[in-house]
Amino acid sequence: PVVARDVRRTYYMGESVDALDGVSLSLPAGSYTAVMGPSGSGKSTLMNLLGCLDTPDEGTVEIGGRSVGDLSGGERARLRGTEIGFVFQTFNLMPRLTAAENVTLPLVFHDGVEAGRHERAETLLSRVGLGDRLDHAPNELSGGQRQRVAIARALANEPTLLLADEPTGNLDTETGNEILAVFDELQAAGRTILMVTHERRVAERADRIVHLIDGELAEIEQLEGK
Amino acid sequence: PVVARDVRRTYYMGESVDALDGVSLSLPAGSYTAVMGPSGSGKSTLMNLLGCLDTPDEGTVEIGGRSVGDLSGGERARLRGTEIGFVFQTFNLMPRLTAAENVTLPLVFHDGVEAGRHERAETLLSRVGLGDRLDHAPNELSGGQRQRVAIARALANEPTLLLADEPTGNLDTETGNEILAVFDELQAAGRTILMVTHERRVAERADRIVHLIDGELAEIEQLEGK
Ligand SMILES: Nc1ncnc2c1ncn2[C@@H]1O[C@H](COP(=O)(O)OP(=O)(O)OP(=O)(O)O)[C@@H](O)[C@H]1O
Ligand SMILES: Nc1ncnc2c1ncn2[C@@H]1O[C@H](COP(=O)(O)OP(=O)(O)OP(=O)(O)O)[C@@H](O)[C@H]1O
Ligand SMILES: [Mg+2]
Ligand SMILES: [Mg+2]
């Protein structure tokens, strides 16, 4: 259960930019929420706040009942490393590491032998169709392949909360559907999913769609049969 | 007029990866071609070859009748700087430069006073909806805003050939349509456009769709009423 209460995030650049202007959103455990909105409307900023990568200027973010603002930097890092999986809009892969090594990075928070981690990376990469690209560095991969490595990495620590920022933006429809099927499995396993997408077709895989406009929550659209 | 004749591009990683396996494609002047295909099928590799950013291992690329392989490195750079506009799948913006400075980069190949270049950058950025983000550095911009800066930069030198690799991948439908309208204007002005996209809706703005599968040209689909 993740809750954002009236969060605000402002950037000061001469003029001030209100990236998020008072957004409240509740993510019940096991829920699957899509976020849509114009470019620049605050979607990634909201993801970063819920993913404990950034702190709001006003308002609070609670995860499992605890206010993230009360956690120390170390506690936040551990929370991220053990509970949260993040697929970044720009992937953020380590350029000098192979696909497999990138995927094992989050596992450093978990006890377990090296071999076990590599095996897990292999399983996850095969699951996203990259079983034959384990040893490729990011610059030896296509855009959509890098995106899939980023997705596999986000799943590595079996997160209770998955935050995916445009996870199919560089994928053809078929490959994208394979990823969405993986997300469906995650939800079936009780995980919570928040996914930003600009494709209606993709958003409709969720239980509901949150519409952001100019840093504000304009509408929460409940989807039929969900 | 750009012509790829039986181009092949192979990467050696222990096993060999045939990124492109004998692709021939002709882009008549003023044509608008979309490229679709599964993730990893060779789309960006094809773009890089046609954009003179890479050379084929076999086969030739001709621009305006001249084989690119015969050009010196300097001639290729000038050709790119003056004739070709490239929107990269990963944007490739200079992180330490503002949006406006990024857009003026290609103009270094053109004579003209500094002020003229900044004005041009401002015009282009306004055209893509970023008139109020001129002084933001890439990390002070949203994903779709960075994408739009990359698009504005590709248009800076009024290219005769525009190569756009997933130009709407990070844009909501409305903003994406604004970009596609800019591309329509370009074609009306006689420019040649090659655009990779995974969205059918976007591809249908072109005259025809080239389908790549596993490094090969599987089909060229002529679009109705085009
Ligand atoms: N430097 C490299 N070294 C090894 N393999 C590479 C390299 N660059 C690309 N490849 C491989 O070549 C193939 C084609 O890559 P390319 O980037 O052209 O695909 P793409 O169609 O653009 O994919 P996407 O839709 O995911 O962006 C991919 O399978 C990729 O793994
Ligand atoms: N570090 C920063 N400094 C200044 N402004 C910023 C910064 N980061 C983001 N912004 C601004 O905040 C607004 C919201 O950004 P955000 O990345 O959340 O948008 P988004 O909805 O994810 O957009 P997109 O769909 O284009 O990815 C944007 O207008 C952006 O310019
Ligand atoms: Mg974003
Ligand atoms: Mg590509």
Side-chain angles (χ1 to χ4, degrees):
Chain A
V2 184
V3 184
R5 297 188 196 292
D6 201 31
V7 291
R8 294 169 196 281
R9 187 69 176 88
T10 303
Y11 296 103
Y12 298 96
M13 304 265 316
E15 81 261 276
S16 71
V17 177
D18 294 324
L20 276 186
D21 201 10
V23 172
S24 297
L25 179 63
S26 202
L27 303 182
S31 61
Y32 189 172
T33 306
V35 181
M36 299 188 83
S39 173
S41 57
K43 305 182 292 298
S44 296
T45 302
L46 178 60
M47 296 285 265
N48 291 342
L49 292 177
L50 294 173
C52 307
L53 288 163
D54 190 16
T55 46
D57 297 319
E58 287 175 58
T60 58
V61 173
E62 289 166 24
I63 295 193
R66 294 190 67 188
S67 168
V68 172
D70 297 343
L71 303 176
S72 72
E75 284 173 306
R76 268 214 296 280
R78 170 152 292 280
L79 179 62
R80 283 199 303 270
T82 54
E83 299 299 322
I84 301 173
F86 209 121
V87 186
F88 295 92
Q89 191 168 7
T90 50
F91 316 155
N92 297 3
L93 299 178
M94 306 296 280
R96 296 191 205 286
L97 302 184
T98 66
E101 289 164 346
N102 264 287
V103 171
T104 58
L105 281 180
L107 297 177
V108 70
F109 284 95
H110 296 257
D111 304 326
V113 290
E114 202 59 44
R117 295 184 199 169
H118 185 83
E119 212 172 285
R120 174 134 183 83
E122 199 166 330
T123 305
L124 288 166
L125 285 167
S126 305
R127 207 166 166 208
V128 295
L130 293 177
D132 60 348
R133 290 280 185 278
L134 301 175
D135 304 323
H136 283 234
N139 70 344
E140 296 167 333
L141 294 170
S142 77
Q145 290 169 340
R146 289 177 210 169
Q147 184 158 41
R148 284 182 276 159
V149 173
I151 291 165
R153 181 182 62 185
L155 302 174
N157 59 4
E158 302 194 72
T160 46
L161 172 63
L162 175 70
L163 302 168
D165 199 344
E166 294 281 2
T168 64
N170 283 279
L171 302 176
D172 58 286
T173 302
E174 188 171 330
T175 311
N177 287 339
E178 288 163 20
I179 295 304
L180 294 172
V182 171
F183 289 3
D184 289 344
E185 288 165 31
L186 267 179
Q187 185 189 21
R191 318 307 174 120
T192 306
I193 302 177
L194 184 66
M195 173 179 69
V196 172
T197 180
H198 69 274
E199 292 187 62
R200 177 80 196 185
R201 178 185 62 80
V202 171
E204 287 174 347
R205 297 291 281 258
D207 302 333
R208 56 179 185 163
I209 304 176
V210 166
H211 295 275
L212 282 191
I213 295 180
D214 283 335
E216 297 186 10
L217 197 154
E219 178 198 350
I220 295 188
E221 181 189 351
Q222 212 62 33
L223 292 175
E224 293 308 304
K226 296 275 179 174
Chain B
V2 184
V3 185
R5 298 189 196 290
D6 201 31
V7 292
R8 293 168 197 283
R9 186 71 176 86
T10 303
Y11 296 103
Y12 298 96
M13 303 267 315
E15 54 88 278
S16 71
V17 177
D18 294 324
L20 278 186
D21 202 9
V23 172
S24 296
L25 179 64
S26 202
L27 305 181
S31 60
Y32 189 171
T33 306
V35 181
M36 300 187 82
S39 172
S41 56
K43 303 181 295 296
S44 297
T45 302
L46 178 61
M47 295 284 265
N48 291 342
L49 292 177
L50 293 174
C52 306
L53 288 162
D54 190 15
T55 46
D57 297 320
E58 285 176 58
T60 59
V61 173
E62 289 167 25
I63 296 192
R66 293 190 68 188
S67 168
V68 172
D70 296 343
L71 302 177
S72 71
E75 285 174 307
R76 267 215 296 281
R78 169 153 293 278
L79 180 62
R80 284 199 303 269
T82 55
E83 299 299 323
I84 301 173
F86 209 120
V87 186
F88 295 92
Q89 190 168 8
T90 49
F91 316 156
N92 296 4
L93 299 179
M94 306 296 280
R96 297 192 204 286
L97 300 184
T98 66
E101 288 164 346
N102 264 286
V103 171
T104 58
L105 281 180
L107 299 176
V108 69
F109 283 96
H110 297 256
D111 305 326
V113 291
E114 201 58 46
R117 294 183 199 171
H118 186 83
E119 212 172 284
R120 175 134 183 83
E122 200 167 330
T123 306
L124 288 166
L125 284 167
S126 305
R127 207 167 166 207
V128 296
L130 293 178
D132 60 347
R133 291 280 185 277
L134 302 175
D135 303 325
H136 283 233
N139 70 342
E140 297 167 333
L141 294 170
S142 76
Q145 291 170 337
R146 291 177 208 169
Q147 185 159 40
R148 284 183 274 159
V149 173
I151 290 165
R153 182 182 63 186
L155 301 174
N157 60 5
E158 302 196 71
T160 45
L161 172 64
L162 175 70
L163 300 168
D165 200 344
E166 294 281 2
T168 64
N170 283 280
L171 303 176
D172 58 286
T173 301
E174 189 172 329
T175 312
N177 286 340
E178 288 162 20
I179 295 303
L180 294 173
V182 171
F183 290 4
D184 289 343
E185 288 166 30
L186 266 180
Q187 184 189 22
R191 317 307 172 119
T192 305
I193 303 176
L194 184 67
M195 173 179 71
V196 172
T197 180
H198 68 276
E199 293 186 65
R200 177 79 197 186
R201 177 185 63 80
V202 171
E204 286 173 346
R205 298 290 282 257
D207 303 333
R208 56 178 184 162
I209 303 175
V210 165
H211 295 275
L212 284 189
I213 296 180
D214 283 335
E216 298 186 10
L217 198 154
E219 177 198 352
I220 295 187
E221 180 189 352
Q222 212 64 32
L223 292 175
E224 291 309 303
K226 297 279 180 171

